[in-house]
């Protein structure tokens, strides 16, 4: 008996599962193979809240999105086979799968490749020393296996992966000694950089690793500044005592199966990818690609691409008529294009965007040091003054994200129909200090500030995601956006709520003249 | 089609570099210097380098070093990495024990 399926999906990550769900909803019988012991791809390592809007599952943490996908897959009868490694894709859409001690053959009327990507590496002296690890490996250790990768870590790479993993390393109790990137500017979202900068992590842009030392394991790392030709400038070396060096220098699509199958491929600066249309159809009828394997993006867009491929495949096999397909694709296309807007849109990759869509100067301090300078912050529309408690939204880059707009029960925050617009605080609405906006911001960029609570003091309420949670009455130091000490602080309230989803709201008392500077609490 | 002799003249002779001893392919223990020398011996494509040095033929199947090797070859040839002809993709995509391969009954396992 030939095991035959309407759709064979390779890879049970966000793209593959979404495609299988979409196909199954249209009546197809899909099977999903994944070489890992657990489904979900990288989603279960993502403990941060996602960006985007409601339709992109914004402000939901990645692993919860993973759970939702798995539930949806099982409700729709998607068969997921784990520990199943697809090792070949042949003519007639036949795949060979290694399961246990056997190699099994399956045939699909359609095949979707959603194998994702693997981490890039860089070579430097000592890069093979135990303790030099990929950022993805660090995430796997921390967030899947609950193992601390090291105690003192240097992160190489300031893209979103480097930034997000640096923060997670700190959450796991590691000390991140520095974040280093050969590029002259931080590659990832400013809000991700700002939340590590205010904890005191220094950024070294235009720097890279000269050497890692240690015979049996990493015991130190030396970095140096680079000139315009990416050559080390002598005399700029800095050495850090670390036991771990984390590398986050990009991803490459794992597209080998598509190439083996004979799909037309193209080599791009982003990796070796199949030539395919918007819904992932490759040059071979019936073979599709979705997610990172078709071009590196992130999980939110991978899920939409998967749905598009799923719908297209349903049409290809006659389960969905052309009109219904076009309607569905238009809907998904809109969701996808909104994610590809703003300062980090694909067409802006590598470019310096000097002004926001609102015409405000981009903070160069944010791009080069990881934080908006104190004298720049008031230029942005979310940063307002007022008597009584009020939100201060330090969102300064046009990124596709808008959960804050729906968070305020009083409707005091507005982004409007353009998802990348900077949030505006409406002056005529009274803030009740509920903190829903603070917890809703995936970038942890919203603070509640009250200038004057008497005796020369004011308060700052900040999102706090570290353990142990400080206690009311605890004294410490308020750190500025640059992570440097600004004044003494006392915790006067700590709020936790299911609605905040593990983002705690810490309110600290600081002197009134420091309420616009103090952005983090460090226990003494 | 690149004229190998012309290209070799253009790139000049192999000159030793300080970081030639850095391992690039960890699985098969191939160094940067070996890859550079291979280019000067006339290996200009990923397929040739792979057959000549076994880089990318180990446990990770070039997942880690593929891009690095390509970069080294491109720099040596003074071209963009996009111009380097990629290697062929072949099954098995992942390391598979011969014992298991031998049991692949083909049609019988369909």
């Amino acid at each position: 008996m030939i095991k035959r399926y309407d759709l064979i999906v390779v890879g049970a990550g966000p793209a593959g599962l979404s495609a299988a769900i979409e196909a199954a909803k249209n009546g197809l019988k899909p099977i999903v193979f994944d070489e890992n012991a657990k489904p979900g791809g990288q989603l279960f390592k993502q403990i941060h809240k996602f960006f985007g809007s409601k339709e992109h599952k914004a402000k939901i943490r990645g692993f919860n999105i993973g759970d939702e996908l798995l539930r949806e897959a099982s409700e729709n009868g998607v068969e997921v086979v784990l520990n199943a490694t697809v090792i070949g894709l042949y003519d007639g859409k036949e795949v060979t799968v290694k399961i246990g001690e056997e190699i099994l053959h399956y045939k699909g009327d359609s095949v979707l490749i959603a194998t994702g990507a693997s981490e890039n590496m860089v070579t430097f002296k000592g890069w093979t020393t135990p303790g030099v690890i990929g950022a993805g490996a660090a995430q796997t250790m921390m967030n899947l296996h609950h193992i601390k990768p090291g105690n003192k870590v240097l992160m190489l790479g300031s893209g979103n992966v480097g930034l997000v993993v640096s923060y997670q390393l700190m959450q796991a109790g590691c000390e991140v000694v520095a974040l280093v990137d050969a590029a002259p500017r931080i590659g990832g979202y400013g809000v991700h950089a700002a939340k590590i900068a205010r904890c005191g992590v220094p950024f070294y842009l235009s720097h890279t690793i000269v050497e890692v030392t240690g015979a049996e394991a990493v015991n130190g790392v030396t970095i140096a500044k680079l000139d315009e030709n990416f050559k080390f400038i002598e005399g700029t070396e800095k050495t850090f005592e670390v036991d771990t060096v984390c590398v986050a220098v990009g991803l490459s699509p794992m597209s080998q199966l598509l190439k083996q199958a004979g799909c037309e491929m193209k080599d791009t600066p982003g990796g070796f990818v199949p030539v395919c249309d918007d819904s992932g159809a490759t040059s071979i009828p019936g073979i599709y690609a979705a997610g990172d394997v078709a071009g590196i993006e992130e999980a939110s867009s991978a899920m939409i691409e998967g749905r598009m491929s799923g719908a297209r495949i349903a049409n290809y096999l006659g389960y969905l008529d052309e009109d219904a397909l076009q309607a569905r694709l238009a809907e998904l296309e809109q969701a996808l294009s909104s994610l590809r807007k703003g300062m980090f849109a694909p067409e802006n990759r590598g470019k310096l965007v000097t002004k926001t869509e609102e015409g405000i100067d981009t903070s160069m301090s944010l791009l080069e040091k990881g934080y908006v300078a104190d004298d720049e912050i008031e230029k942005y529309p979310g940063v307002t003054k007022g008597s009584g408690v009020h939100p201060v939204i330090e969102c300064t880059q046009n990124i596709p994200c808008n959960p804050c707009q729906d968070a305020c029960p009083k409707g005091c925050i507005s982004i409007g129909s353009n998802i990348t617009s900077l949030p505006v605080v409406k002056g005529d609405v009274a803030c009740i200090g509920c903190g829903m906006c603070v917890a809703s911001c995936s970038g942890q960029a919203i603070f509640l500030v009250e200038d004057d609570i008497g005796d020369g003091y004011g308060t700052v309420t900040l999102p706090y995601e570290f353990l142990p949670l400080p206690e009311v009455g605890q004294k410490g130091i308020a750190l500025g956006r640059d992570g440097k000490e600004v004044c003494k602080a006392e915790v006067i309230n700590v709020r936790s709520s299911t609605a905040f989803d593990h983002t705690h709201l810490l309110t600290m008392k600081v002197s009134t003249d420091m309420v616009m500077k103090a952005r983090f609490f460090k226990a003494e | 089609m690149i004229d190998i002799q012309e290209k070799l003249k253009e790139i000049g002779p192999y000159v030793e570099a300080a970081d030639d001893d850095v391992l690039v392919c960890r699985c098969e223990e191939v160094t940067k210097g070996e890859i550079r020398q291979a280019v000067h011996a006339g290996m200009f494509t990923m397929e040739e380098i792979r057959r000549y040095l076994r880089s990318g033929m180990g446990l990770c199947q070039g997942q880690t070093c593929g891009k690095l090797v390509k970069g080294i070859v491109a720099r040596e040839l003074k071209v963009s990495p996009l111009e380097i002809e990629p290697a062929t993709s072949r099954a098995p995509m992942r390391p598979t024990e011969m014992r298991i391969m031998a049991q692949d009954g083909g049609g019988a396992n369909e």
Side-chain angles (χ1 to χ4, degrees):
Chain A
M1 268 286 286
I2 293 173
K3 281 181 196 156
R4 192 175 197 100
Y5 284 84
D6 294 332
L7 167 62
I8 293 174
V9 177
V10 186
L17 284 177
S18 300
I21 291 166
E22 184 79 18
K25 281 184 172 171
N26 282 295
L28 280 78
K29 189 171 162 32
I31 187 166
V32 185
F33 295 113
D34 196 293
E35 62 181 331
N36 297 293
K38 285 182 181 166
Q42 305 302 305
L43 275 174
F44 287 93
K45 301 178 194 173
Q46 311 307 329
I47 60 171
H48 58 281
K49 293 179 177 174
F50 275 36
F51 290 79
S53 69
K54 250 186 217 155
E55 61 177 344
H56 309 118
K57 304 186 191 296
K59 81 170 182 171
I60 302 177
R61 295 183 190 273
F63 63 96
N64 288 326
I65 297 176
D67 274 337
E68 271 181 35
L69 265 186
L70 289 183
R71 204 175 318 125
E72 207 185 346
S74 112
E75 281 165 8
N76 286 285
V78 172
E79 190 179 346
V80 179
V81 185
L82 299 169
N83 298 308
T85 310
V86 173
I87 56 172
L89 173 56
Y90 301 89
D91 277 353
K93 295 183 280 290
E94 177 166 346
V95 300
T96 47
V97 194
K98 188 181 89 159
I99 300 173
E101 295 283 291
E102 279 185 305
I103 292 173
L104 301 176
H105 294 232
Y106 291 84
K107 275 191 178 176
D109 291 336
S110 61
V111 174
L112 174 81
I113 303 298
T115 42
S118 65
E119 291 194 275
N120 293 340
M121 258 293 152
V122 282
T123 53
F124 41 77
K125 203 174 165 205
W127 78 283
T128 53
T129 312
V132 179
I133 59 175
Q139 268 193 323
T140 306
M141 290 170 80
M142 295 187 289
N143 303 340
L144 293 184
H145 303 294
H146 309 130
I147 294 165
K148 210 169 141 185
N151 291 315
K152 291 180 91 172
V153 188
L154 179 131
M155 175 68 71
L156 179 69
S158 71
N160 275 333
V161 174
L163 298 173
V164 166
V165 175
S166 292
Y167 188 75
Q168 292 177 2
L169 283 161
M170 291 193 280
Q171 289 179 305
C174 308
E175 183 190 340
V176 178
V177 299
L179 206 142
V180 178
D181 200 312
R185 293 180 296 274
I186 291 168
Y189 287 178
V191 285
H192 279 318
K195 68 188 194 189
I196 47 185
R198 63 177 175 253
C199 295
V201 176
F203 283 73
Y204 292 94
L205 277 298
S206 295
H207 277 71
T208 196
I209 295 175
V210 180
E211 139 175 65
V212 163
T213 54
E216 302 272 303
V218 174
N219 63 18
V221 54
T222 301
I223 63 167
K225 197 169 165 57
L226 296 166
D227 64 18
E228 311 84 68
N229 302 317
F230 290 90
K231 295 260 183 287
F232 291 118
I233 302 173
E234 235 175 280
T236 60
E237 294 85 0
K238 280 182 193 69
T239 298
F240 299 88
E241 198 182 287
V242 295
D243 54 24
T244 306
V245 171
C246 225
V247 181
V249 294
L251 303 167
S252 289
M254 290 202 280
S255 54
Q256 298 93 326
L257 278 169
L258 291 158
K259 184 167 190 225
Q260 189 221 336
C263 297
E264 192 186 331
M265 306 292 289
K266 61 179 175 191
D267 214 347
T268 70
F272 199 55
V273 292
V275 175
C276 50
D277 70 9
D278 291 346
S279 54
T282 68
S283 62
I284 299 180
I287 298 185
Y288 296 78
D292 276 355
V293 74
I296 307 294
E297 276 184 273
E298 32 74 57
S300 305
S301 38
M303 287 186 280
I304 302 171
E305 284 177 25
R307 302 258 171 190
M308 292 173 83
S309 296
R312 168 67 74 187
I313 291 164
N315 170 264
Y316 172 71
L317 296 180
Y319 287 82
L320 185 65
D321 69 41
E322 190 63 28
D323 288 349
L325 170 70
Q326 291 310 330
R328 181 66 175 139
L329 287 182
E331 181 188 349
L332 291 163
E333 186 67 56
Q334 202 185 351
L336 188 60
S337 68
S338 74
L339 279 180
R340 290 175 174 165
K341 280 188 185 154
M343 185 174 161
F344 295 86
E347 71 262 24
N348 286 335
R349 214 160 275 168
K351 281 189 205 157
L352 172 61
V353 178
T354 55
K355 292 217 185 277
T356 70
E357 289 164 11
E358 292 79 2
I360 306 166
D361 288 338
T362 302
S363 166
M364 290 309 293
S365 169
L366 181 61
L367 290 176
E368 288 164 4
K369 297 175 190 165
Y371 55 87
V372 180
D374 290 344
D375 61 0
E376 294 175 317
I377 195 72
E378 290 182 17
K379 290 189 294 195
Y380 299 96
V383 180
T384 53
K385 290 186 169 166
S387 55
V389 64
H390 59 279
V392 170
I393 308 183
E394 304 196 349
C395 183
T396 67
Q397 295 177 330
N398 300 109
I399 56 174
C401 191
N402 67 6
C404 58
Q405 159 164 272
D406 302 320
C408 180
K410 295 286 170 187
C412 107
I413 301 170
S414 154
I415 285 181
S417 56
N418 178 15
I419 189 176
T420 57
S421 295
L422 298 180
V424 175
V425 176
K426 295 180 202 157
D428 54 341
V429 189
C431 173
I432 52 169
C434 67
M436 287 306 293
C437 57
V438 179
S440 78
C441 178
S442 309
Q444 298 188 21
I446 305 184
F447 303 85
L448 295 180
V449 169
E450 186 165 12
D451 294 27
D452 185 11
I453 57 163
D455 298 327
Y457 286 102
T459 64
V460 177
T461 301
L462 52 100
Y464 195 89
E465 293 195 354
F466 295 99
L467 293 171
L469 214 51
E471 284 169 19
V472 172
Q474 196 167 338
K475 293 195 167 63
I477 297 163
L479 303 181
R481 296 180 185 91
D482 57 2
K484 298 204 169 70
E485 177 176 345
V486 293
C487 62
K488 286 192 161 52
E490 182 184 338
V491 178
I492 58 166
N493 196 5
V494 179
R495 284 183 276 170
S496 307
S497 154
T498 315
F500 298 162
D501 188 15
H502 297 87
T503 303
H504 305 279
L505 267 49
L506 183 149
T507 304
M508 62 181 178
K509 185 171 94 172
V510 295
S511 59
T512 292
D513 55 339
M514 290 300 163
V515 292
M516 278 310 286
K517 293 196 166 130
R519 288 296 174 265
F520 193 67
F521 175 81
K522 191 178 161 198
E524 265 185 329
Chain B
M1 203 52 198
I2 298 178
D3 183 321
I4 293 178
Q5 294 309 329
E6 282 302 310
K7 190 75 194 178
L8 285 176
K9 260 185 245 164
E10 182 198 323
I11 64 173
Y14 161 76
V15 183
E16 231 173 272
D19 59 354
D20 272 353
D21 60 341
V22 167
L23 268 186
V24 176
C25 170
R26 302 174 76 165
C27 305
E28 295 291 325
E29 301 192 347
V30 181
T31 64
K32 184 172 180 180
E34 287 174 299
I35 297 162
R36 292 184 57 229
Q37 286 177 49
V39 174
H40 289 272
M43 316 291 153
F44 294 173
T45 67
M46 292 295 282
E47 190 66 32
E48 287 164 334
I49 298 273
R50 184 165 85 172
R51 286 172 186 240
Y52 190 55
L53 297 172
R54 287 196 55 79
S55 54
M57 301 277 268
L59 197 62
C60 86
Q61 290 289 291
Q63 208 70 66
T64 309
C65 71
K67 200 174 171 175
L68 297 170
V69 174
K70 202 178 203 183
I72 294 166
V73 173
R75 262 193 305 280
E76 215 56 34
L77 290 173
K78 302 183 166 85
V79 297
S80 152
L82 301 184
E83 290 176 42
I84 305 297
E85 195 182 307
T88 309
S89 291
R90 278 192 192 84
M93 288 301 146
R94 291 282 192 261
T96 307
E97 294 90 326
M98 287 306 293
R99 173 173 49 83
I100 298 173
M101 291 289 280
Q103 282 171 15
D104 179 356
N109 276 359
E110 273 179 351

